[in-house]
Structure formats: C-alpha cells, structure tokens
Amino acid sequence: MSKENLNPLESAQLQVKKACDSLNLGNDVYELLKEPQRMIEISIPVKMDDGTLKVFKGYRAAHNTAIGPGKGGIRFHPGVNPDEVKALSVWMTFKCGVMGVPYGGGKGGITVDPLTLSQGELERLSRGYIQGLYKYLGEKIDIPAPDVGSNGQIMAWMVDEYIKLTGENHMGVLTGKPVSWGGSQGRNEATGFGVSVITREAAAKAGINMKKANVAIQGFGNVGRFTVKNVERQGANIVAIGEWSPKVGTFAIYNENGLDFQDMADFVDQNKSLVGYPKGKQITLEEFWALDVDIMIPAALENAIQEKEAKLIKAKLVTEAANGPITAEADAIFKEKGIIVTPDILSNAGGVTVSYFEWIQNQYGYYWSEEEVIEKEEAVLMEAFDDLWKFKESRNCTFRKAAYKHGVKRITDVMKLRGWFE
Ligand code: NAD
C-alpha cells in the first residue's frame, strides 16, 4: 500500500497545478496561485479562569484577492496548523470562483480544543484573535465566518471587539452572525441545505431516486446535521452516522430502517454527542464505510476517505460536504470504480453563498425572509451545478477537474485584466 500524502496544502496545490496545466496557463499563474498572498501568525495571550496565562496560536491567510476581499471561516481545533489554514484558503478562492460570488479566498484558525475552555475563556480567546488581526480584516478587506469548532456566538464577540477597536459599526466584517444581531435567515443551515441540493441534483444524474435512497453521513456537526435534516426531507433514508467524541474517539451508528433527524438532534442537544444514542446499533468504522448505501456524504474533516476507505465504499455517489475529505489516491479509486464525486468547492458552497447574502443585507441594513434566502440559495447552487455538469460532460473529465478548471479560469481572467502577469 502506498504511503499517502496527507498534507492538505500539497494536495490543494496539486489540484491547482493540474487545472493550470490543462488550461495551458504557464507557470506564472501557478506561481501566483500556489501560496496565499498573505499569511499572518499571531500569539493570543488568554487569562484562564484559574488565574494562569495561556498563549494560543492563531492564523489568518488571504489567498487571492483578485476578484474581491478574502472570505473564509475561522476554525477552532487542536489540529489547526499553518499548512491547513493555507490549504483551506486556496479552496475558498476556487469555491468563490465556482459560485461567482465577488470574493477571494481567506481562512483562519486557532490551535485549540474549544470544548476544554469555559465560556469566559472562549470569549477572551475570540476577542484576542480580533485584537491581533483587526487591521487585516474588514468588509472590503477580508471577511471571516464560522468553521469547525466556531459558531454564531463567537462571531458576535468578534464583531463586538472589531467595532470597539475601530469605532465603526461595520456589521459585514464577519458573517455567520446570530440572526438577532446582523445575521441572515438561513445562514446556520445554509451549508447542509446546499449539500442536500447538490446531492439531489447529482443523484438524478446518477439514476438514484432520492425517495428510495439509503444514505450514510460522516459528521453530525453544523454541516452534517443540516445535511441529514434536508436529505431526510427529500425522502431519503439515513441509515448510518459516523461521529467522533473526545471520550470514545470515532464511532458509528446504524439503523437499516432509518435514523430520525429530529430525534438525533434532540439527543445531541441534551447529551452534547451521539454517544449512547439508543435507536441505532454500534457498527465499526470498517462496517460504516462498507455499507451498501446509494450515497455517502463525508461531512467531518479533511482526509477522512483515504485509499483504504475508498476501496470499501460501495455508494454510487459521494458528496464532499467537508473541505478536502478525499485524498488524491482515494479520488483515483472512485474514478476507476465509476463513482460520481461532487467536489467540496461546489457541494459545500451554500455556506459562502448565504454569507454573501448576509454581507449584502448588512451593507443595506435591509433583511430578507428565510424563504427568500433559501429560494435564492437553491437557485444559485442549481445554476452552478448545471454549468459544471455541462462543462464536465463536454470535456469528458471528472466533476472535480471541471470545478477547478472553471474556478482557476475565472480568477486568472481577472488577474490578467488587472495586469498581475504577462
Ligand atoms: P463542526 O465542528 O460543527 O462539526 C464537525 C463534526 O465532525 C463534529 O460533530 C465532530 O464530532 C465530527 N468529527 C470530527 N472528527 C471526526 C471523525 N474522525 N469521524 C467522524 N466525525 C468526526 O464543523 P462543521 O462546521 O460542520 O464543518 C465540517 C466540515 O465542513 C469542515 O471540513 C468544514 O471546513 C466544512 N465546511 C463548513 C462550513 C460551515 O458553514 N460550517 C462551510 C463549508 C465547509
């Protein structure tokens, strides 16, 4: 078995290189796109509840701002490191390019397990991140949002800190805020809802009837949870969930008759995890990946599906809901097996799309109804899906390649107009 390269930056760079080569763009464009334009590392001192001082590492990358300000979430996770932040910022550039939203790519993170902090410590850490970076953030500079381990409350503390430091009420400096203070209706569910729209469209192409489909989903966080909710609404049967908890590590639950979204959500809200959920039986991870399902949706973290998992997977369709969940080796196996993979930069782009809607609403101080947001999100995603599907069919390439070529071309055209190369 080959030793897989799991460095997310190297795999993002490989995807960009392949797209540049197949568009005959020459090396200058690749040199401009392979690393972020700006990468900042900060130390964040936090007074802990016991009176001690702890210093955390924080990062913010602005990958490419040719089209518009940087855009991308802030991850709170113990695994956050400079290469991961850079890779996630690269993916954001092309996600915005594919969706046609007027942003470049950005991403940030703090190396921390937020579950180990008290509310007070979490608030001081969130405010400290803004104190270290506010000069490089702004509605027209770089616009963060939530990602793994962060949420609307954290965005509210961060915007409050930004307003205090700058003295100006720029609500659009961060998106993913609570609806009661500058957030958009539908933003919390936007990524999972978008995943369900792309899954439905791709399933139709793959000849899968959603009403009869069996689906397995890895991850029951923000993205996974709302993917489950909306895929269930389409009539599919969610037979398994793969999850992780600090106490037991990775685990999976299974029920061939279907797991109920609301029941699982209530259980997690009460118990903080799906560990011990009584209406599904425990299965091993090997059994989870090898399930006889129509659709598999990884919605947890990058590199979840490697060579070993790809060999086990029997689904006809894999929707990438997380960022970078499939390694290059696993992708090659899917291609060989004829499994359709919808790429992350399309399938999870509902989040950035509704972040864009939130930013527009903030500029105007005029807010839309939930129905309006959902309708607009669905329309934008279906149009992007149709464009890429036609592109993929006409060039006889994978969905991922079509998405990267499309994204790289859009950014390259603008860089050329702006005189950044040639
Ligand atoms: P989250 O922290 O809310 O949820 C992540 C979930 O994955 C958690 O429930 C966690 O327990 C689980 N998990 C972690 N490691 C696991 C493992 N090894 N096996 C199984 N489950 C595991 O994060 P999220 O916001 O749902 O983000 C998930 C993914 O989607 C990330 O890749 C993120 O970058 C991407 N994403 C998020 C958004 C968004 O709007 N939140 C938008 C686009 C992409």
Side-chain angles (χ1 to χ4, degrees), residues 75 95 147-149 187 191 218-223 242-244 250 299-301 321-323 348:
R75 183 172 286 196
K95 192 180 297 183
D147 189 69
V148 175
R187 173 60 186 92
T191 308
Q218 185 205 30
F220 198 72
N222 174 281
V223 178
E243 247 296 338
W244 175 90
T250 48
L301 289 175
N323 285 313
N348 68 28

mmCIF file of all heavy atoms in Angstrom, residues 75 95 147-149 187 191 218-223 242-244 250 299-301 321-323 348, ligand 1:
data_model
loop_
_atom_site.group_PDB
_atom_site.id
_atom_site.type_symbol
_atom_site.label_atom_id
_atom_site.label_comp_id
_atom_site.label_asym_id
_atom_site.label_seq_id
_atom_site.Cartn_x
_atom_site.Cartn_y
_atom_site.Cartn_z
ATOM 1 N N ARG A 75 -11.386 28.418 12.034
ATOM 2 C CA ARG A 75 -11.505 27.087 12.633
ATOM 3 C C ARG A 75 -10.923 27.092 14.043
ATOM 4 O O ARG A 75 -9.824 27.606 14.249
ATOM 5 C CB ARG A 75 -10.756 26.098 11.735
ATOM 6 C CG ARG A 75 -10.847 24.671 12.195
ATOM 7 C CD ARG A 75 -10.265 23.722 11.165
ATOM 8 N NE ARG A 75 -11.153 23.568 10.016
ATOM 9 C CZ ARG A 75 -11.047 22.589 9.122
ATOM 10 N NH1 ARG A 75 -10.100 21.691 9.237
ATOM 11 N NH2 ARG A 75 -11.888 22.505 8.108
ATOM 12 N N LYS A 95 -13.704 28.062 -4.552
ATOM 13 C CA LYS A 95 -15.138 27.926 -4.228
ATOM 14 C C LYS A 95 -15.868 29.220 -4.621
ATOM 15 O O LYS A 95 -16.910 29.187 -5.273
ATOM 16 C CB LYS A 95 -15.294 27.680 -2.713
ATOM 17 C CG LYS A 95 -16.662 27.239 -2.321
ATOM 18 C CD LYS A 95 -16.754 27.017 -0.819
ATOM 19 C CE LYS A 95 -15.832 25.913 -0.334
ATOM 20 N NZ LYS A 95 -15.991 25.665 1.106
ATOM 21 N N ASP A 147 -16.344 28.215 11.197
ATOM 22 C CA ASP A 147 -15.929 26.938 10.588
ATOM 23 C C ASP A 147 -15.956 25.916 11.717
ATOM 24 O O ASP A 147 -16.592 26.160 12.756
ATOM 25 C CB ASP A 147 -14.533 27.085 9.949
ATOM 26 C CG ASP A 147 -14.150 25.870 9.106
ATOM 27 O OD1 ASP A 147 -14.770 25.670 8.046
ATOM 28 O OD2 ASP A 147 -13.250 25.098 9.504
ATOM 29 N N VAL A 148 -15.277 24.817 11.555
ATOM 30 C CA VAL A 148 -15.254 23.768 12.576
ATOM 31 C C VAL A 148 -14.927 24.381 13.946
ATOM 32 O O VAL A 148 -13.953 25.126 14.078
ATOM 33 C CB VAL A 148 -14.186 22.700 12.216
ATOM 34 C CG1 VAL A 148 -14.047 21.672 13.323
ATOM 35 C CG2 VAL A 148 -14.542 22.048 10.897
ATOM 36 N N GLY A 149 -15.743 24.082 14.932
ATOM 37 C CA GLY A 149 -15.459 24.498 16.315
ATOM 38 C C GLY A 149 -15.839 25.933 16.647
ATOM 39 O O GLY A 149 -15.705 26.357 17.792
ATOM 40 N N ARG A 187 -28.665 31.220 7.368
ATOM 41 C CA ARG A 187 -27.208 31.024 7.289
ATOM 42 C C ARG A 187 -26.759 29.802 8.075
ATOM 43 O O ARG A 187 -25.906 29.040 7.620
ATOM 44 C CB ARG A 187 -26.450 32.267 7.799
ATOM 45 C CG ARG A 187 -24.913 32.088 7.901
ATOM 46 C CD ARG A 187 -24.281 31.754 6.569
ATOM 47 N NE ARG A 187 -22.854 31.441 6.629
ATOM 48 C CZ ARG A 187 -22.329 30.226 6.764
ATOM 49 N NH1 ARG A 187 -23.117 29.164 6.904
ATOM 50 N NH2 ARG A 187 -21.027 30.047 6.772
ATOM 51 N N THR A 191 -25.092 25.603 4.707
ATOM 52 C CA THR A 191 -24.145 24.670 4.095
ATOM 53 C C THR A 191 -24.793 23.294 3.928
ATOM 54 O O THR A 191 -24.752 22.704 2.841
ATOM 55 C CB THR A 191 -22.849 24.579 4.930
ATOM 56 O OG1 THR A 191 -22.364 25.907 5.139
ATOM 57 C CG2 THR A 191 -21.783 23.758 4.215
ATOM 58 N N GLN A 218 -20.928 11.029 7.411
ATOM 59 C CA GLN A 218 -19.909 11.123 8.454
ATOM 60 C C GLN A 218 -19.911 12.548 8.993
ATOM 61 O O GLN A 218 -19.686 13.493 8.236
ATOM 62 C CB GLN A 218 -18.517 10.798 7.885
ATOM 63 C CG GLN A 218 -17.448 10.779 8.963
ATOM 64 C CD GLN A 218 -16.053 11.061 8.427
ATOM 65 O OE1 GLN A 218 -15.882 11.771 7.457
ATOM 66 N NE2 GLN A 218 -15.056 10.495 9.074
ATOM 67 N N GLY A 219 -20.143 12.694 10.300
ATOM 68 C CA GLY A 219 -20.154 14.017 10.917
ATOM 69 C C GLY A 219 -21.576 14.466 11.193
ATOM 70 O O GLY A 219 -22.433 14.431 10.307
ATOM 71 N N PHE A 220 -21.839 14.873 12.443
ATOM 72 C CA PHE A 220 -23.155 15.404 12.806
ATOM 73 C C PHE A 220 -22.946 16.753 13.503
ATOM 74 O O PHE A 220 -23.520 17.046 14.530
ATOM 75 C CB PHE A 220 -23.890 14.397 13.706
ATOM 76 C CG PHE A 220 -25.387 14.635 13.787
ATOM 77 C CD1 PHE A 220 -26.212 14.355 12.710
ATOM 78 C CD2 PHE A 220 -25.968 15.137 14.945
ATOM 79 C CE1 PHE A 220 -27.592 14.569 12.788
ATOM 80 C CE2 PHE A 220 -27.351 15.352 15.038
ATOM 81 C CZ PHE A 220 -28.159 15.067 13.943
ATOM 82 N N GLY A 221 -22.047 17.564 12.918
ATOM 83 C CA GLY A 221 -21.844 18.931 13.419
ATOM 84 C C GLY A 221 -22.763 19.848 12.634
ATOM 85 O O GLY A 221 -23.824 19.427 12.170
ATOM 86 N N ASN A 222 -22.358 21.087 12.423
ATOM 87 C CA ASN A 222 -23.235 22.025 11.704
ATOM 88 C C ASN A 222 -23.583 21.503 10.314
ATOM 89 O O ASN A 222 -24.755 21.409 9.953
ATOM 90 C CB ASN A 222 -22.561 23.406 11.622
ATOM 91 C CG ASN A 222 -23.372 24.363 10.770
ATOM 92 O OD1 ASN A 222 -23.324 24.315 9.552
ATOM 93 N ND2 ASN A 222 -24.162 25.209 11.410
ATOM 94 N N VAL A 223 -22.580 21.136 9.539
ATOM 95 C CA VAL A 223 -22.834 20.730 8.150
ATOM 96 C C VAL A 223 -23.566 19.381 8.100
ATOM 97 O O VAL A 223 -24.574 19.227 7.403
ATOM 98 C CB VAL A 223 -21.508 20.667 7.354
ATOM 99 C CG1 VAL A 223 -21.767 20.205 5.930
ATOM 100 C CG2 VAL A 223 -20.822 22.029 7.352
ATOM 101 N N GLY A 242 -21.499 8.481 11.094
ATOM 102 C CA GLY A 242 -20.170 8.281 11.683
ATOM 103 C C GLY A 242 -19.862 9.534 12.492
ATOM 104 O O GLY A 242 -20.086 10.641 12.017
ATOM 105 N N GLU A 243 -19.381 9.365 13.715
ATOM 106 C CA GLU A 243 -19.105 10.553 14.537
ATOM 107 C C GLU A 243 -17.822 10.358 15.348
ATOM 108 O O GLU A 243 -17.147 9.342 15.245
ATOM 109 C CB GLU A 243 -20.300 10.857 15.469
ATOM 110 C CG GLU A 243 -21.039 12.164 15.125
ATOM 111 C CD GLU A 243 -20.186 13.423 15.290
ATOM 112 O OE1 GLU A 243 -19.187 13.420 16.023
ATOM 113 O OE2 GLU A 243 -20.522 14.450 14.667
ATOM 114 N N TRP A 244 -17.517 11.359 16.140
ATOM 115 C CA TRP A 244 -16.326 11.362 16.990
ATOM 116 C C TRP A 244 -16.685 12.063 18.285
ATOM 117 O O TRP A 244 -17.478 13.017 18.276
ATOM 118 C CB TRP A 244 -15.205 12.139 16.270
ATOM 119 C CG TRP A 244 -13.975 12.324 17.093
ATOM 120 C CD1 TRP A 244 -12.897 11.481 17.163
ATOM 121 C CD2 TRP A 244 -13.673 13.418 17.966
ATOM 122 N NE1 TRP A 244 -11.953 11.985 18.034
ATOM 123 C CE2 TRP A 244 -12.411 13.176 18.545
ATOM 124 C CE3 TRP A 244 -14.359 14.584 18.344
ATOM 125 C CZ2 TRP A 244 -11.810 14.040 19.452
ATOM 126 C CZ3 TRP A 244 -13.758 15.451 19.259
ATOM 127 C CH2 TRP A 244 -12.494 15.179 19.794
ATOM 128 N N THR A 250 -13.596 7.853 17.494
ATOM 129 C CA THR A 250 -14.533 7.696 16.371
ATOM 130 C C THR A 250 -15.483 6.522 16.635
ATOM 131 O O THR A 250 -15.113 5.534 17.266
ATOM 132 C CB THR A 250 -13.782 7.433 15.051
ATOM 133 O OG1 THR A 250 -12.832 6.421 15.277
ATOM 134 C CG2 THR A 250 -13.097 8.676 14.548
ATOM 135 N N ALA A 299 -18.860 14.605 6.012
ATOM 136 C CA ALA A 299 -19.148 15.988 6.449
ATOM 137 C C ALA A 299 -18.398 16.303 7.745
ATOM 138 O O ALA A 299 -18.903 17.051 8.594
ATOM 139 C CB ALA A 299 -20.658 16.170 6.635
ATOM 140 N N ALA A 300 -17.190 15.717 7.905
ATOM 141 C CA ALA A 300 -16.441 15.969 9.154
ATOM 142 C C ALA A 300 -15.191 16.801 8.867
ATOM 143 O O ALA A 300 -15.241 18.028 8.922
ATOM 144 C CB ALA A 300 -16.107 14.656 9.831
ATOM 145 N N LEU A 301 -14.076 16.127 8.531
ATOM 146 C CA LEU A 301 -12.816 16.864 8.334
ATOM 147 C C LEU A 301 -12.085 16.361 7.091
ATOM 148 O O LEU A 301 -12.518 15.389 6.464
ATOM 149 C CB LEU A 301 -11.910 16.674 9.563
ATOM 150 C CG LEU A 301 -12.340 17.387 10.840
ATOM 151 C CD1 LEU A 301 -11.416 17.005 11.986
ATOM 152 C CD2 LEU A 301 -12.337 18.909 10.680
ATOM 153 N N ALA A 321 -19.015 16.998 1.562
ATOM 154 C CA ALA A 321 -19.600 18.096 2.332
ATOM 155 C C ALA A 321 -18.535 18.810 3.153
ATOM 156 O O ALA A 321 -18.581 20.028 3.329
ATOM 157 C CB ALA A 321 -20.703 17.567 3.247
ATOM 158 N N ALA A 322 -17.542 18.058 3.658
ATOM 159 C CA ALA A 322 -16.417 18.680 4.359
ATOM 160 C C ALA A 322 -15.477 19.270 3.316
ATOM 161 O O ALA A 322 -15.621 19.024 2.117
ATOM 162 C CB ALA A 322 -15.684 17.634 5.191
ATOM 163 N N ASN A 323 -14.497 20.043 3.768
ATOM 164 C CA ASN A 323 -13.450 20.526 2.869
ATOM 165 C C ASN A 323 -12.349 19.487 2.785
ATOM 166 O O ASN A 323 -11.835 19.032 3.815
ATOM 167 C CB ASN A 323 -12.873 21.844 3.403
ATOM 168 C CG ASN A 323 -13.806 23.009 3.171
ATOM 169 O OD1 ASN A 323 -14.333 23.180 2.066
ATOM 170 N ND2 ASN A 323 -14.049 23.804 4.198
ATOM 171 N N ASN A 348 -20.251 22.153 -0.845
ATOM 172 C CA ASN A 348 -20.477 22.852 0.429
ATOM 173 C C ASN A 348 -20.497 24.381 0.264
ATOM 174 O O ASN A 348 -20.369 25.119 1.239
ATOM 175 C CB ASN A 348 -19.491 22.395 1.511
ATOM 176 C CG ASN A 348 -18.062 22.805 1.241
ATOM 177 O OD1 ASN A 348 -17.794 23.812 0.588
ATOM 178 N ND2 ASN A 348 -17.121 22.030 1.754
HETATM 179 P P1 NAD B 1 -18.451 21.126 13.276
HETATM 180 O O1 NAD B 1 -17.346 21.307 14.234
HETATM 181 O O2 NAD B 1 -19.768 21.752 13.571
HETATM 182 O O3 NAD B 1 -18.726 19.554 13.030
HETATM 183 C C1 NAD B 1 -17.742 18.639 12.726
HETATM 184 C C2 NAD B 1 -18.278 17.283 13.208
HETATM 185 O O4 NAD B 1 -17.407 16.253 12.757
HETATM 186 C C3 NAD B 1 -18.352 17.191 14.730
HETATM 187 O O5 NAD B 1 -19.629 16.700 15.100
HETATM 188 C C4 NAD B 1 -17.241 16.206 15.083
HETATM 189 O O6 NAD B 1 -17.527 15.432 16.246
HETATM 190 C C5 NAD B 1 -17.196 15.345 13.824
HETATM 191 N N1 NAD B 1 -15.909 14.670 13.629
HETATM 192 C C6 NAD B 1 -14.668 15.171 13.843
HETATM 193 N N2 NAD B 1 -13.750 14.231 13.555
HETATM 194 C C7 NAD B 1 -14.424 13.133 13.129
HETATM 195 C C8 NAD B 1 -14.038 11.849 12.707
HETATM 196 N N3 NAD B 1 -12.761 11.497 12.631
HETATM 197 N N4 NAD B 1 -15.005 10.966 12.353
HETATM 198 C C9 NAD B 1 -16.315 11.306 12.419
HETATM 199 N N5 NAD B 1 -16.742 12.524 12.831
HETATM 200 C C10 NAD B 1 -15.806 13.419 13.174
HETATM 201 O O7 NAD B 1 -17.892 21.604 11.846
HETATM 202 P P2 NAD B 1 -18.735 21.945 10.548
HETATM 203 O O8 NAD B 1 -18.922 23.412 10.518
HETATM 204 O O9 NAD B 1 -19.867 21.030 10.455
HETATM 205 O O10 NAD B 1 -17.660 21.625 9.408
HETATM 206 C C11 NAD B 1 -17.482 20.309 8.898
HETATM 207 C C12 NAD B 1 -16.694 20.396 7.597
HETATM 208 O O11 NAD B 1 -17.409 21.223 6.653
HETATM 209 C C13 NAD B 1 -15.306 21.012 7.693
HETATM 210 O O12 NAD B 1 -14.465 20.432 6.739
HETATM 211 C C14 NAD B 1 -15.559 22.482 7.332
HETATM 212 O O13 NAD B 1 -14.392 23.141 6.886
HETATM 213 C C15 NAD B 1 -16.569 22.295 6.226
HETATM 214 N N6 NAD B 1 -17.402 23.456 5.937
HETATM 215 C C16 NAD B 1 -18.148 24.066 6.909
HETATM 216 C C17 NAD B 1 -18.963 25.133 6.571
HETATM 217 C C18 NAD B 1 -19.878 25.786 7.576
HETATM 218 O O14 NAD B 1 -20.677 26.648 7.167
HETATM 219 N N7 NAD B 1 -19.852 25.406 8.840
HETATM 220 C C19 NAD B 1 -18.986 25.619 5.256
HETATM 221 C C20 NAD B 1 -18.226 24.963 4.285
HETATM 222 C C21 NAD B 1 -17.440 23.883 4.647
#
